[in-house]
Amino acid sequence: MKIIAYGIRDDEKPYLDEWVTKNHIEVKAVPDLLDSSNIDLAKDYDGVVAYQQKPYTADLFDKMHEFGIHAFSLRNVGVDNVPADALKKNDIKISNVPAYSPRAIAELSVTQLLALLRKIPEFEYKMAHGDYRWEPDIGLELNQMTVGVIGTGRIGRAAIDIFKGFGAKVIAYDVFRNPALEKEGMYVDTLEELYQQANVITLHVPALKDNYHMLDEKAFGQMQDGTFILNFARGTLIDTPALLKALDSGKVAGAALDTYENEVGIFDVDHGDQPIDDPVFNDLMSRRNVMITPHAAFYTRPAVKNMVQIALDNNRDLIEKNSSKNEVKFD
C-alpha cells in the first residue's frame, strides 16, 4: 500500500513520520497543494490525502480514476469545495476529519471576543502612539451578556461550556437539537428570537446552500444595537458588505472573524509589503473593532496531529476495507 499526501507543511511532517513508523506504510509527502499541475504524481499510489481551502476541480477525480485510485481523504472537516458528482462518477470514496480539536476553535473565538469587550485593539493602538489614558474606552463583562450560539455540534458545545464558565447566559439555535442542551432549556425556536435576545452571536455551522449569507442586512436589522459577531466557521455565512454597514451604524459593536468569504488567495499567503486587492477586506482590516485571524483557529499542536493521523487512518481504511468510520456520503 502506498499513499500520497498533498500540501504537507513542515509542522505536519513529524506527525506524518510518526504515523509511517507505526503503520509501516509508505507515504509520499508533497509540499504543494493538490491541483491539475501535480495530480500526475499520484500515479502508482493507492490513496490520496489532501487539505486546502480552494475548490477541488472535477478533472482531479477523473485522473484518480484513471490511476485506479478510489480513496480520497481530507485532513479537514469541510467538503463544500469538493464536487460530489465527480466523486460519484469516478467511484471515489471520500473521508474527512470531523473533529480534530473542537476546543481549539472554541477557545480562540472566546479569546477574541474578550479582547473586543475589553477594547484591547484600541488600547494597543493608543499606547503605540503614547496615549496611556483609559478613558473613554470602558469595557464590558462577558458574565453580564447573553451569548447566542448558532450550531451546537462539537465546536458549538465546546464554546457553550466556555461561555458558561465565564458566567454568561447562553441560548442556542440548531435544526438538529442536542438532547442534553434541550433539557437545559437552552434552545430558541427561531433565528429571529436568537438575534433579538443575544448581545453576542457566534457561528458554528457548516457552509450550506441554505445558510449562504445567513447574516445579511435583514438579520443584522433584527439584532440589538451593539451586538458582537463571531465567525469561526465559514466565511460565506456572512454578507460582508452588510456587516460593514452594521458596524458603521453601531448595530454591530465589534466582530471577530477567522473566516472571510473571499479568503482564498489572501489567507495562508505571505503578502509582504504588497497591498491586497480587495477593498472590502481592507475595510475590515482598517477597523479597530474588527479582529481577524487567517483561518487559524484550528492551528494548535493537538489539532494538527489529529488532522494528519486521522486522515491517514481514514485513507488506509478506505484502501483496505473500502470503508471508513469518517466516510462522507453525499445525498
Side-chain angles (χ1 to χ4, degrees), residues 133-275:
R133 295 172 296 175
W134 58 78
E135 291 183 284
D137 299 303
I138 192 167
L140 298 169
E141 295 182 24
L142 182 51
N143 67 82
Q144 301 293 309
M145 306 187 83
T146 297
V147 179
V149 179
I150 301 177
T152 55
R154 294 178 179 90
I155 299 171
R157 293 198 304 274
I160 287 169
D161 288 344
I162 298 171
F163 284 123
K164 288 169 66 177
F166 275 92
K169 177 182 177 181
V170 181
I171 59 175
Y173 176 85
D174 199 318
V175 291
F176 303 105
R177 296 189 173 191
N178 178 276
L181 297 181
E182 189 154 28
K183 284 182 181 178
E184 293 184 38
M186 191 173 292
Y187 287 105
V188 294
D189 293 327
T190 66
L191 283 171
E192 184 176 358
E193 288 179 72
L194 186 141
Y195 297 152
Q196 292 172 347
Q197 295 179 33
N199 311 114
V200 176
I201 295 172
T202 182
L203 305 178
H204 296 293
V205 293
L208 305 169
K209 290 181 181 178
D210 292 342
N211 62 24
Y212 177 77
H213 283 181
M214 169 190 290
L215 298 191
D216 56 10
E217 191 168 349
K218 178 181 178 182
F220 288 122
Q222 295 170 341
M223 297 176 191
Q224 298 182 31
D225 291 344
T227 298
F228 290 85
I229 301 296
L230 313 179
N231 186 8
F232 287 73
R234 287 290 181 267
T236 55
L237 299 173
I238 294 181
D239 178 345
T240 314
L243 171 61
L244 291 173
K245 288 182 181 178
L247 286 160
D248 287 339
S249 70
K251 178 63 71 171
V252 172
L257 310 173
D258 189 57
T259 58
Y260 169 60
E261 58 184 322
N262 299 311
E263 69 186 50
V264 175
I266 297 177
F267 290 172
D268 201 27
V269 176
D270 183 359
H271 295 277
D273 295 327
Q274 298 298 314

Side-chain angles (χ1 to χ4, degrees), residues 30-158:
V30 178
D32 299 317
L33 298 176
L34 172 62
D35 60 26
S36 300
S37 71
N38 57 26
I39 183 61
D40 286 340
L41 294 175
K43 188 176 182 181
D44 298 325
Y45 286 85
D46 302 298
V48 172
V49 172
Y51 168 82
Q52 62 205 61
Q53 294 164 283
K54 67 181 182 180
Y56 295 91
T57 54
D59 62 299
L60 299 175
F61 303 100
D62 293 338
K63 276 285 190 178
M64 288 183 205
H65 181 79
E66 179 185 326
F67 298 152
I69 296 172
H70 300 283
F72 179 61
S73 298
L74 297 171
R75 300 199 299 282
N76 54 287
V77 179
V79 296
D80 47 293
N81 58 351
V82 181
D85 290 346
L87 290 171
K88 293 177 183 178
K89 169 190 167 186
N90 291 294
D91 191 27
I92 294 172
K93 295 196 171 184
I94 181 174
S95 63
N96 68 350
V97 181
Y100 29 89
S101 183
R103 290 196 69 87
I105 297 167
E107 285 180 6
L108 185 60
S109 69
V110 179
T111 298
Q112 297 293 80
L113 172 63
L114 291 170
L116 286 172
L117 295 181
R118 297 307 301 268
K119 305 291 185 74
I120 299 302
E122 191 66 44
F123 280 117
E124 288 181 339
Y125 176 83
K126 287 167 62 173
M127 292 174 70
H129 292 80
D131 185 352
Y132 289 77
R133 295 172 296 175
W134 58 78
E135 291 183 284
D137 299 303
I138 192 167
L140 298 169
E141 295 182 24
L142 182 51
N143 67 82
Q144 301 293 309
M145 306 187 83
T146 297
V147 179
V149 179
I150 301 177
T152 55
R154 294 178 179 90
I155 299 171
R157 293 198 304 274

